[in-house]
Amino acid sequence: MAYIKRMIIVALLMLTQATLLKAEDGQALWLRGNSNIKVTVSGPGHSPVVDLAIAELKRGWHGKPDMVLNLRISDNPAIKGDGFQLEESAISARTELGLLYGAYELLRSQYLGSPARRFVSNPSYSRRILNHWDNLDGSIERGYAGRSIFWGEKENGLSITEQDKEKWTAYARANASIGINGSVLNNVNASAKILSKPYLEKVRAIAERLRPYGIKTYLSVNFSSPVLIGKLKKADPLDPQVQQWWKDKVKEIYALIPDFGGFLVKANSEGQPGPQDYGRTHVDGANMMADALEPFGGIVMWRAFVYNPSPEDRTKQAYKEFLPLDGAFRKNVILQVKNGPLDFQPREPFSPLFGGMTKTPVMPEFQITQEYLGGSKQLVFLSTLWEECLNNDTFKNGKGSTVAACTDGSLSKTDFTAIAGVANIGNDVNWTGHTFAQANWYAFGRLAWNNKLESKVIAAEWIKQTFLDSKEKKTDAKFAKTVQGIMMESREAAVDYMMPLGLHHIFAEGHHYGPAPWFSNDKIRADWTSVYYHKADEQGIGFDRTRNGSDAVDQYHEPLSSKLNSLSTCPEIYLLWFHHVPWSYRLKSGNDLWTELCLRYDRGVNKVRSFQKDWDRMDGAIDKERFQEVQSKLRTQSRDAQIWKDACLLYFQQFSKREIPFDIERPVHDLQSLKELTKSRDYN
Ligand code: GCV
């Protein structure tokens, strides 16, 4: 009886709470912390940035009432770059931007209820940049949250409304609050038009909105721009006319945008033009642009994502291309390298270029938009993926040479350091399509600022700011813990139901959402098909990248290369990435490979189902709108995880010729219908 009474009271409390919770559409992101608590803030004079810092502190103060807070510029040697020092009643920084970042950090810690203490915080990377793959017609390559907030719609994408400007300001504020300080405004598959006068005028207008928040504007450029919009006959980087064209163009840009950041370039990759079209090298191309940008302080981010249709293992090509060029780039060039050697898969080993380049600075490129991880339909917290990459040991200078250390300047001094994330932002009301995709934007910023932060801490911060009030209620703690659990397990679950044990790139053609392990097509290049990657046959499955195979293992330093090379020491999470393994091979669990594969797929599906149950139990803990949105998306994710499992197991079973273990759920689909389903464009 007492139990029933208690349950009724809990239910009534939850109901009251749910009706009191205000409707939320997600537009406010993690910045919901307005407050009425009074604070007096004194700053070092007035400037747009200092005034913003003061305004933010007054708007979001959750500390002691009627405090006097002092913002001051300091030459404390412990503070580096745009870092800051927090004390209970002061924020000190070398730069005004440091004061703004310090203000956001102080507000965050107050909201999270962390005690105020004295500490210094310095950014891990000096440039923390979002890459928007936004096309000038407003579409977004691999975008799942609506259309571009910068381009498109009317007048060739050039019109600017008051609403646009407000959106850009809100975008800049959200970024600054997590330390992001750069935006590349257009797709790396770049239209040359971006460098024409009318588009540059629009870039200027956008830059004006981003500037007060410390966000520098960068552009992706098309290597053939001198031909496409400049009326030159060629774009040969050694041609003096071409060099002059770039110098003039850069001068024109800086006259409009004095703090312009520089260029991002995808050259000689996936059909994009580049210096190799003229028999020149990536160095020739990058240095030509670097020379044009150097007098203005601009930089070139040259992408290493290059591969050609050739018999060579695709994952080896970038390293082979760039390693011989190490040291030949100008000082204001940095190589932008995707986390893995292939292409943002659910799990990849780190790119060997991080440990390979010794004289050329390298910056990681992460993908925030979930091209290969469920778009905006699936809840996958990517922070754990990035944390895993950053913490990998390259053994470049012996043990401890992590990817983080190879890129943040701790292993070798560079003139600047940088990190990029491919944005998941569009004009959807909640910015990112899935509410939980906001967490990936947030996590990228937080890791770019501090590449040692733990994902579980980032998740906890985000949950509280995004869903809960600063004053914690009893139900809040339960919600926070449950949701943190879901987030922390979500990426591993996706790996399990999509591509466990090192499998990779077995997606349906084109949309990269659903499975198509059967996909092969003689008419396109082999490395755009699935069978090229999994190589399933009657003996086994996996890509042999050992010394007897493509020898990709030797692009890594010892002792890692030998560890990866041997079947018995290769970490099982990368097993089928580096080895073609017999179906009967025994794994550490004692299961043979086929059984283990079945169990992993099944585990992934069950995990998503458990996320559903956990989320359902949270009904009433947050606003109805976002609760139901996530609930419905988890339903879709559960359905699609099952499709992944069934498609892969039924297809691979044709080669393994073994039974699916009876203690897991049998596939509920048949192979033929799955082939039809995932082919359809509507499926993605
Ligand atoms: C912007 C993958 C994606 C492409 C993307 C490319 C890149 O191939 O599928 O959409 O193009 O990577 O990073 O350049």
Side-chain angles (χ1 to χ4, degrees):
M1 199 56 192
Y3 174 75
I4 296 177
K5 253 194 198 158
R6 217 168 45 236
M7 290 311 285
I8 293 173
I9 293 171
V10 170
L12 280 174
L13 276 175
M14 281 174 77
L15 201 70
T16 326
Q17 191 183 327
T19 42
L20 288 177
L21 289 165
K22 62 175 193 325
E24 299 217 29
D25 57 12
Q27 202 171 151
L29 295 162
W30 48 86
L31 292 164
R32 297 159 54 257
N34 286 358
S35 145
N36 295 323
I37 307 171
K38 235 185 123 240
V39 60
T40 307
V41 189
S42 71
H46 285 285
S47 78
V49 179
V50 170
D51 291 349
L52 265 180
I54 295 175
E56 287 289 17
L57 286 161
K58 290 188 168 165
R59 176 175 175 174
W61 186 258
H62 281 84
K64 285 188 202 144
D66 299 318
M67 278 264 300
V68 179
L69 185 81
N70 193 4
L71 307 187
R72 52 176 181 240
I73 297 294
S74 140
D75 56 5
N76 175 352
I79 305 174
K80 314 265 187 247
D82 289 328
F84 54 82
Q85 174 171 293
L86 286 193
E87 287 160 85
E88 204 188 350
S89 58
I91 304 176
S92 323
R94 282 180 177 272
T95 63
E96 292 184 349
L97 268 176
L99 294 176
L100 183 63
Y101 295 135
Y104 284 122
E105 176 67 39
L106 183 60
L107 295 176
R108 181 162 40 240
S109 60
Q110 288 178 347
Y111 197 83
L112 296 173
S114 340
R117 59 192 165 89
R118 191 187 158 109
F119 77 99
V120 172
S121 176
N122 292 318
S124 298
Y125 298 93
S126 58
R127 298 189 189 229
R128 307 171 294 278
I129 303 175
L130 285 185
N131 288 186
H132 289 268
W133 286 358
D134 293 17
N135 299 312
L136 303 185
D137 67 1
S139 61
I140 305 180
E141 184 153 352
R142 313 302 176 187
Y144 311 100
R147 295 176 62 82
S148 171
I149 61 168
F150 301 119
W151 311 107
E153 307 303 340
K154 295 177 212 117
E155 300 166 41
N156 298 322
L158 288 167
S159 65
I160 300 175
T161 64
E162 275 314 304
Q163 245 180 341
D164 290 332
K165 291 194 210 162
E166 279 165 28
K167 187 92 183 166
W168 299 336
T169 296
Y171 161 87
R173 176 173 178 245
N175 279 323
S177 75
I178 48 174
I180 288 170
N181 68 358
S183 296
V184 182
L185 300 182
N186 61 318
N187 192 354
V188 285
N189 291 327
S191 161
K193 274 197 312 197
I194 190 71
L195 293 181
S196 62
K197 188 99 199 345
Y199 284 93
L200 288 179
E201 286 290 354
K202 184 161 182 184
V203 174
R204 168 168 60 176
I206 299 170
E208 273 166 16
R209 288 283 164 154
L210 307 194
R211 187 170 298 121
Y213 287 91
I215 319 267
K216 268 190 200 293
T217 301
Y218 300 76
L219 293 176
S220 296
V221 294
N222 183 305
F223 198 81
S224 286
S225 299
V227 178
L228 295 169
I229 57 162
K231 301 203 177 72
L232 295 191
K233 293 242 156 19
K234 52 186 178 178
D236 181 352
L238 298 193
D239 182 321
Q241 267 191 310
V242 174
Q243 294 169 351
Q244 193 55 46
W245 188 89
W246 282 105
K247 285 188 174 144
D248 294 342
K249 187 48 79 182
V250 166
K251 206 163 149 196
E252 184 188 338
I253 296 174
Y254 277 91
L256 293 168
I257 309 148
D259 57 348
F260 182 68
F263 294 151
L264 170 63
V265 194
K266 171 174 177 177
N268 292 122
S269 165
E270 298 187 330
Q272 292 299 316
Q276 292 176 337
D277 304 349
Y278 304 92
R280 313 298 184 197
T281 66
H282 286 283
V283 168
D284 297 327
N287 287 355
M288 167 193 64
M289 292 188 188
D291 288 343
L293 287 157
E294 195 273 335
F296 304 92
I299 64 162
V300 177
M301 295 167 286
W302 196 265
R303 289 179 93 227
F305 180 67
V306 300
Y307 62 100
N308 292 308
S310 81
E312 182 63 279
D313 173 3
R314 174 173 156 187
T315 69
K316 286 181 67 183
Q317 294 184 26
Y319 182 95
K320 284 182 77 171
E321 182 83 51
F322 283 96
L323 220 71
L325 307 177
D326 193 13
F329 292 97
R330 298 278 191 265
K331 272 185 164 354
N332 57 335
V333 177
I334 188 162
L335 209 59
Q336 182 164 316
V337 177
K338 289 188 181 184
N339 56 286
L342 183 53
D343 193 11
F344 301 134
Q345 297 302 291
R347 172 167 275 130
E348 296 190 36
F350 66 87
S351 164
L353 276 167
F354 292 119
M357 302 299 272
T358 56
K359 302 184 203 85
T360 308
V362 174
M363 60 187 282
E365 177 180 318
F366 294 151
Q367 194 184 46
I368 309 171
T369 192
Q370 294 165 240
E371 174 181 356
Y372 296 100
L373 280 145
S376 57
K377 286 187 179 169
Q378 303 195 9
L379 189 169
V380 184
F381 183 47
L382 297 177
S383 186
T384 50
L385 186 164
W386 303 328
E387 189 183 344
E388 179 177 292
C389 171
L390 291 165
N391 290 341
N392 267 307
D393 202 337
T394 69
F395 294 92
K396 179 181 181 177
N397 291 357
K399 207 165 158 24
S401 311
T402 59
V403 170
C406 291
T407 54
D408 68 7
S410 21
L411 272 196
S412 45
K413 290 282 151 267
T414 64
D415 286 2
F416 62 98
T417 54
I419 185 165
V422 179
N424 59 352
I425 296 160
N427 67 357
D428 274 5
V429 173
N430 72 357
W431 299 88
T432 55
H434 198 310
T435 294
F436 277 79
Q438 295 178 356
N440 291 331
W441 176 8
Y442 181 85
F444 170 74
R446 298 291 286 136
L447 279 173
W449 182 273
N450 178 355
N451 62 10
K452 296 191 178 54
L453 265 186
E454 289 180 293
S455 298
K456 60 175 192 252
V457 174
I458 298 176
E461 286 181 0
W462 178 80
I463 293 165
K464 172 127 187 181
Q465 296 170 91
T466 303
F467 293 113
L468 306 174
D469 288 340
S470 77
K471 293 257 174 306
E472 196 161 286
K473 292 183 287 298
K474 219 173 175 186
T475 44
D476 289 352
K478 183 145 186 254
F479 176 84
K481 191 157 176 264
T482 306
V483 176
Q484 187 190 32
I486 295 177
M487 289 171 78
M488 289 304 291
E489 289 186 296
S490 58
R491 184 267 185 143
E492 207 58 47
V495 169
D496 276 347
Y497 65 73
M498 289 183 182
M499 282 167 250
L501 295 170
L503 283 174
H504 47 287
H505 220 309
I506 52 177
F507 291 94
E509 186 193 3
H511 58 63
H512 293 173
Y513 180 78
W518 48 81
F519 175 51
S520 86
N521 182 343
D522 294 345
K523 295 196 187 68
I524 61 168
R525 37 196 295 188
D527 58 8
W528 282 355
T529 69
S530 301
V531 294
Y532 172 86
Y533 294 102
H534 63 67
K535 302 204 186 305
D537 56 24
E538 298 204 350
Q539 277 69 51
I541 180 171
F543 198 125
D544 185 356
R545 295 194 167 102
T546 67
R547 290 170 191 148
N548 297 324
S550 80
D551 196 23
V553 292
D554 275 327
Q555 291 186 338
Y556 294 92
H557 294 290
E558 287 292 12
L560 183 59
S561 51
S562 291
K563 184 175 174 188
L564 297 172
N565 184 57
S566 149
L567 185 53
S568 62
T569 55
C570 179
E572 287 183 350
I573 52 171
Y574 304 130
L575 202 66
L576 307 180
W577 185 284
F578 287 110
H579 297 267
H580 189 73
V581 183
W583 295 112
S584 57
Y585 179 77
R586 293 255 155 235
L587 280 100
K588 297 205 170 66
S589 60
N591 296 321
D592 62 54
L593 174 63
W594 169 249
T595 307
E596 187 68 22
L597 207 58
C598 294
L599 295 181
R600 299 280 176 123
Y601 273 107
D602 193 57
R603 185 172 79 180
V605 173
N606 286 334
K607 254 293 154 232
V608 181
R609 289 179 186 160
S610 78
F611 297 161
Q612 275 187 290
K613 286 185 203 149
D614 289 347
W615 186 258
D616 284 347
R617 277 188 204 107
M618 296 300 116
D619 197 358
I622 60 162
D623 54 286
K624 199 164 81 256
E625 293 70 24
R626 290 181 300 170
F627 178 78
Q628 287 176 352
E629 175 243 331
V630 174
Q631 189 175 46
S632 133
K633 289 196 160 155
L634 280 170
R635 212 174 291 141
T636 305
Q637 186 169 354
S638 196
R639 178 201 69 188
D640 293 343
Q642 172 101 52
I643 289 175
W644 266 98
K645 169 190 155 187
D646 289 4
C648 294
L649 291 185
L650 290 172
Y651 172 76
F652 292 136
Q653 192 180 29
Q654 302 177 117
F655 302 95
S656 79
K657 303 199 186 316
R658 288 161 182 249
E659 281 292 351
I660 291 174
F662 288 108
D663 45 352
I664 68 167
E665 187 182 55
R666 329 298 297 156
V668 299
H669 302 91
D670 67 80
L671 195 53
Q672 197 46 43
S673 64
L674 288 172
K675 285 188 181 174
E676 293 307 318
L677 174 76
T678 58
K679 220 190 291 167
S680 118
R681 291 272 147 191
D682 300 338
Y683 177 65
N684 64 38

